[in-house]
Amino acid sequence: MAMTLEQQRAADAWRRAQGCQDNYVNLAKGLPALIMNSGLMQVMAFLHEKGGKSSQAHCKILGEHLRGWLHSQFPKQLDSPEFSIFMSKLMAADPLTFQQITTEAYAWLRWMRQIAPAVKV
């Protein structure tokens, strides 16, 4: 029997959250509000920029996790989870597709913000 999309989101969040630490958990909890206030592209850029600092590695990791999930759900629209390609494709997306990708980001993050605290190191 095939998994529902909710089960797929939960399974992906569970797999990716293994071994996460407090910084990752706190960021995952706050990311939906950050996206709502600033927008998906701005938040993806923030995670990438902050993730370049060793003390902020959790930003890079969570950004990679979110890009990986979104790429798996929109492989035709988002050719790659690699940051530059991902961002270029987001910028070129039509409004409906962009809205669908943002909605999916929220749906995945709902699972991550619940699962990450349960499995953190």
Side-chain angles (χ1 to χ4, degrees):
M1 198 158 135
M3 289 196 302
T4 67
L5 184 53
E6 284 297 311
Q7 289 172 312
Q8 292 172 34
R9 289 177 185 132
D12 187 75
W14 178 266
R15 180 178 58 81
R16 293 179 191 269
Q18 297 303 310
C20 69
Q21 298 180 351
D22 284 335
N23 288 341
Y24 184 101
V25 170
N26 292 335
L27 182 60
K29 286 181 177 181
L31 216 54
L34 197 56
I35 292 171
M36 190 171 289
N37 290 332
S38 299
L40 181 61
M41 286 193 295
Q42 292 88 337
V43 168
M44 297 309 289
F46 166 81
L47 293 173
H48 183 74
E49 185 271 328
K50 288 289 182 194
K53 301 174 177 131
S54 61
S55 63
Q56 302 289 320
H58 59 282
C59 292
K60 178 181 180 195
I61 294 166
L62 185 53
E64 289 171 353
H65 289 170
L66 180 54
R67 288 194 316 270
W69 173 254
L70 292 173
H71 172 256
S72 75
Q73 297 306 299
F74 298 91
K76 291 179 182 175
Q77 295 86 353
L78 303 171
D79 292 347
S80 168
E82 191 273 318
F83 178 74
S84 297
I85 296 169
F86 182 91
M87 291 296 283
S88 294
K89 293 298 180 174
L90 269 184
M91 286 181 230
D94 63 84
L96 178 60
T97 301
F98 186 83
Q99 184 178 18
Q100 290 170 332
I101 292 168
T102 301
T103 299
E104 186 57 37
Y106 285 126
W108 182 83
L109 283 165
R110 259 194 318 274
W111 281 104
M112 182 56 78
R113 56 186 300 202
Q114 296 300 315
I115 287 175
V119 299
K120 74 176 179 150
V121 178

